[in-house]
Amino acid sequence: MKNDFPILIAEDNAVSRKLMEKTLRQAGYAVVSAANGREAFKIFKERFFPIILTDWGMPEMDGLELCRAIRENPTEGYVFIFLITGRDSRKDIIVGLEAGADDYLTKPFDRSELIARLKTALRILELEKSLKDAYEKIRLLSITDKLTGCYNRTYMDEYLSREISRATRYLRPISLVMTDIDHFKRINDDYGHQAGDLILKNFVGWIKESLRNDVDWIARYGGEEFLIVLPETDFESAMWSAERLRKSVSENVTAYEDKDIRITASFGVVGFKPSAGNNTFPHESMIDKADKSLYQAKKEGRNRIRGQIFAV
Ligand SMILES: [Mg+2]
């Protein structure tokens, strides 16, 4: 039985090192070992280990120094450190714990004690993992629009400025498309809010189908208005994308009860190509331009696209 918590061993004595490796592998742990603290720390910097078993007395870098080095910088997760030592005076134990060890084992180590102590480490690491999973679930909920499953305003506010700053920094084009379902109020009035909700969900689904996975993203701006972010996309390509979206929305049908509901949407595009010497600017002004183009598309009859190039 293999578990998800690999162990890094630091031990200068080859015989005890081999014995520890064997014991741990038999107990189902993946093990990597090093002949001293410095070597162990080098391995650790390249690959994270949630459990470290370290000898105290070693050349180059001893167990206490290794504990301190690990604790000095933040790591991707908690590292449970066992200090293995021949010393078992109270004073030595305190020194070890103060250096950052979580527990200690005295030499010569007893196999069943080692395995039992490791189980206490696993309980803590598993608790940490379940907290992380719960946190990730909450984080996803907090940035997702509950009805449509796309990003919400919170996400948009946080990430749009980052996207625009990145584009500005690396002189990459970026475009925004603001879109709004035409006469949405009428749908709610004619068919009821359940139909309206279904249309919002379908609308987002149709748009997502046309976007590039992991690059483009869509967030609900409010009501039936959505913002689509197209990184690495210049104005002309964004206009083409918007046309593809417009066409897809107008051709798709939502079946509700015994009716087929058709909708159209209007689009406002703004494209930005940063040039050298520009500093980051507030993303609100780009949203504002997209919004104005959308308003123009509405005014000129809906089911159409209007756009402009953003100039700083
Ligand atoms: Mg030693």
Side-chain angles (χ1 to χ4, degrees), residues 147-216:
L147 176 66
T148 63
C150 73
Y151 289 120
N152 61 15
R153 191 67 188 262
T154 308
Y155 181 90
M156 193 200 94
D157 287 341
E158 193 177 335
Y159 284 89
L160 182 60
S161 52
R162 285 196 208 176
E163 292 272 22
I164 294 177
S165 310
R166 191 188 306 143
T168 310
R169 199 171 333 121
Y170 298 107
L171 304 177
R172 306 301 304 167
I174 183 167
S175 296
L176 306 183
V177 180
M178 190 72 93
T179 177
D180 186 270
I181 300 174
D182 296 329
H183 299 300
F184 187 69
K185 194 180 168 298
R186 215 182 272 169
I187 293 161
N188 279 325
D189 291 346
D190 292 353
Y191 304 97
H193 285 276
Q194 278 190 341
D197 285 354
L198 182 60
I199 282 179
L200 283 170
K201 269 192 249 179
N202 285 349
F203 178 72
V204 167
W206 300 329
I207 289 191
K208 274 185 172 174
E209 270 173 26
S210 301
L211 298 181
R212 296 167 298 177
N213 282 340
D214 304 328
V215 184
D216 305 332

Side-chain angles (χ1 to χ4, degrees), residues 11-13 55-58 107:
E11 163 66 272
D12 61 322
N13 182 302
D55 183 26
W56 183 314
M58 290 181 292
K107 274 184 179 176

Side-chain angles (χ1 to χ4, degrees), residues 9-281:
I9 296 173
E11 163 66 272
D12 61 322
N13 182 302
V15 178
S16 4
R17 193 167 66 232
K18 290 273 172 270
L19 185 62
M20 249 189 289
E21 282 176 11
K22 196 173 157 220
T23 307
L24 295 171
R25 287 203 176 110
Q26 278 171 350
Y29 289 91
V31 182
V32 171
S33 53
N36 59 58
R38 202 174 57 81
E39 198 184 309
F41 191 57
K42 192 165 166 270
I43 294 170
F44 182 80
K45 277 197 288 188
E46 271 152 33
R47 183 185 154 195
F48 176 75
F49 286 83
I51 303 174
I52 294 180
L53 249 64
T54 179
D55 183 26
W56 183 314
M58 290 181 292
E60 302 210 32
M61 184 190 232
D62 70 16
L64 291 186
E65 288 170 298
L66 178 61
C67 284
R68 291 191 194 107
I70 301 273
R71 297 299 184 218
E72 206 160 85
N73 294 303
T75 45
E76 65 167 72
Y78 192 71
V79 186
F80 201 99
I81 308 176
F82 287 94
L83 194 59
I84 302 159
T85 170
R87 318 171 187 208
D88 60 354
S89 77
R90 186 170 291 176
K91 198 168 146 261
D92 288 330
I93 291 163
I94 290 170
V95 170
L97 295 176
E98 276 182 349
D102 294 285
D103 199 359
Y104 68 97
L105 287 155
T106 44
K107 274 184 179 176
F109 76 90
D110 176 81
R111 289 180 199 207
S112 45
E113 187 190 352
L114 171 63
I115 300 304
R117 294 279 188 101
L118 276 169
K119 280 186 183 146
T120 66
L122 290 189
R123 280 201 291 274
I124 288 173
L125 295 169
E126 263 152 16
L127 176 66
E128 186 200 28
K129 189 176 176 297
S130 67
L131 287 173
K132 271 189 183 166
D133 291 349
Y135 173 79
E136 180 57 18
K137 230 180 246 172
I138 291 167
R139 196 189 69 87
L140 280 177
L141 280 175
S142 74
I143 57 171
T144 304
D145 175 55
K146 210 172 154 199
L147 176 66
T148 63
C150 73
Y151 289 120
N152 61 15
R153 191 67 188 262
T154 308
Y155 181 90
M156 193 200 94
D157 287 341
E158 193 177 335
Y159 284 89
L160 182 60
S161 52
R162 285 196 208 176
E163 292 272 22
I164 294 177
S165 310
R166 191 188 306 143
T168 310
R169 199 171 333 121
Y170 298 107
L171 304 177
R172 306 301 304 167
I174 183 167
S175 296
L176 306 183
V177 180
M178 190 72 93
T179 177
D180 186 270
I181 300 174
D182 296 329
H183 299 300
F184 187 69
K185 194 180 168 298
R186 215 182 272 169
I187 293 161
N188 279 325
D189 291 346
D190 292 353
Y191 304 97
H193 285 276
Q194 278 190 341
D197 285 354
L198 182 60
I199 282 179
L200 283 170
K201 269 192 249 179
N202 285 349
F203 178 72
V204 167
W206 300 329
I207 289 191
K208 274 185 172 174
E209 270 173 26
S210 301
L211 298 181
R212 296 167 298 177
N213 282 340
D214 304 328
V215 184
D216 305 332
W217 51 273
I218 171 169
R220 191 169 181 185
Y221 190 65
E224 64 276 17
E225 195 168 349
F226 296 83
L227 182 78
I228 301 158
V229 180
L230 307 171
E232 300 287 329
T233 306
D234 60 21
F235 174 68
E236 207 173 314
S237 313
M239 287 296 278
W240 278 109
S241 297
E243 172 54 22
R244 216 172 49 236
L245 299 174
R246 189 203 61 76
K247 200 157 171 276
S248 159
V249 170
S250 68
E251 285 169 354
N252 273 291
V253 175
T254 295
Y256 179 72
E257 294 179 340
D258 56 347
K259 295 167 210 86
D260 282 344
I261 309 175
R262 288 177 175 276
I263 57 162
T264 59
S266 302
F267 298 79
V269 176
V270 59
F272 177 52
K273 173 84 180 72
S275 51
N278 271 350
N279 288 316
T280 308
F281 54 91

